[in-house]
Amino acid sequence: DVPTLRQLYQLKQIVPAATSAAKYKSSGNLLDRVSLYQGTITGLEVDSIVNAANRSLLGACKLNTRALVDGAIHAAAGPELVEECRTLDGCNVGDAKITRGYELPSKHVIHTVGPVYSASGVGRCAELLASCYRRSLEVTAQHNLRHIAFPSISTGVYGYPVEAATLIALEEVRKFMASEDGSKIKRAIFVVWSNQDKEIYEQLIPLYFPLD
Ligand code: AR6
């Protein structure tokens, strides 16, 4: 029920880019190992889902937590999640730490902390956001987990422009999934929430995961 990129090309939901525009000439088996899924990340029955957390790892700020990944994950996982998070002593921006999933359908949660976007430090923000994806993938591979699902890190409360964040997400996931360390990961899923975000992923995916 989580379509692969190859299936989305076949369904014409994703349209191949002009070959001149594609950053990569071929995708190899990546088209069967990467997915795009619209819906709540808390509904996915996978080995790990990534939480767009804050440095305390103690859950979202109290206001309107339903509209936040951190709020939704803690609400669905139940109170044992924050109890385990308390033992982790927080998390630095750009790093990632793993816990169990408790009442979530996913076995684990990988908590990562995205940068708060600031126009002044664009370069630093880009490096930190890339690090969130890379560290989450490294933790997944180190724990021999087969799937990982990402929300669009930092593009909500933390204000990262969606297009720029998506280019970073696609580049980092492509690089890791094509690497030796990434070969053990069977599936990486980009989870989008809004239609606008879905359209941006559908437009940019062909540049990083071209149809062979
Ligand atoms: N499933 C998938 N994606 C979602 C969901 C969901 N249930 N809910 C929202 N999104 P955000 P950030 C999308 O703000 O920008 C919290 O207070 C949402 O539309 O959750 O990294 C933390 O404690 C957006 O595109 O994360 C931190 O303090 C994307 O997920 C801060 O927010 C990320 O939105 C982190 O802010």
Side-chain angles (χ1 to χ4, degrees), residues 37-43 50-74 112-116 129 150-160 162 191-194 197 201:
Y37 172 77
Q38 183 176 23
T40 175
I41 199 165
T42 55
V50 174
N51 181 20
N54 61 56
R55 293 179 58 202
S56 76
L57 292 189
L58 299 181
C61 48
K62 288 296 155 259
L63 56 106
N64 85 325
T65 56
R66 304 304 304 176
L68 307 172
V69 174
D70 202 5
I73 285 179
H74 276 274
T112 193
V113 183
V116 175
L129 184 59
F150 285 104
S152 180
I153 302 164
S154 281
T155 63
V157 167
Y158 283 178
Y160 213 111
V162 181
V191 181
V192 287
W193 187 241
S194 67
D197 289 2
Y201 270 83

Side-chain angles (χ1 to χ4, degrees), residues 29-197:
N29 68 2
L30 292 175
L31 295 183
D32 304 306
R33 295 171 57 213
V34 179
S35 294
L36 177 65
Y37 172 77
Q38 183 176 23
T40 175
I41 199 165
T42 55
L44 290 177
E45 189 171 349
V46 290
D47 282 356
S48 65
I49 59 171
V50 174
N51 181 20
N54 61 56
R55 293 179 58 202
S56 76
L57 292 189
L58 299 181
C61 48
K62 288 296 155 259
L63 56 106
N64 85 325
T65 56
R66 304 304 304 176
L68 307 172
V69 174
D70 202 5
I73 285 179
H74 276 274
E80 292 169 288
L81 179 59
V82 75
E83 286 316 308
E84 182 176 358
C85 287
R86 277 194 221 292
T87 68
L88 298 179
D89 190 27
C91 183
N92 291 328
V93 178
D95 199 2
K97 293 190 175 179
I98 190 168
T99 65
R100 290 173 50 210
Y102 300 102
E103 293 162 47
L104 281 161
S106 60
K107 288 197 183 72
H108 294 276
V109 180
I110 294 177
H111 305 264
T112 193
V113 183
V116 175
Y117 186 73
S118 75
S120 59
V122 177
R124 185 81 184 115
C125 282
E127 282 165 21
L128 288 169
L129 184 59
S131 175
C132 285
Y133 284 92
R134 194 168 47 251
R135 285 289 303 128
S136 298
L137 287 156
E138 286 170 356
V139 169
T140 298
Q142 281 156 10
H143 286 78
N144 295 313
L145 302 177
R146 292 156 305 165
H147 346 99
I148 180 169
F150 285 104
S152 180
I153 302 164
S154 281
T155 63
V157 167
Y158 283 178
Y160 213 111
V162 181
E163 293 82 357
T166 303
L167 291 170
I168 290 168
L170 294 173
E171 171 70 21
E172 288 306 315
V173 169
R174 174 173 175 136
K175 262 189 327 195
F176 194 89
M177 293 295 280
S179 75
E180 179 59 34
D181 289 350
S183 61
K184 291 182 289 186
I185 299 179
K186 296 281 167 284
R187 188 73 71 89
I189 303 169
F190 292 109
V191 181
V192 287
W193 187 241
S194 67
N195 289 332
Q196 185 219 358
D197 289 2

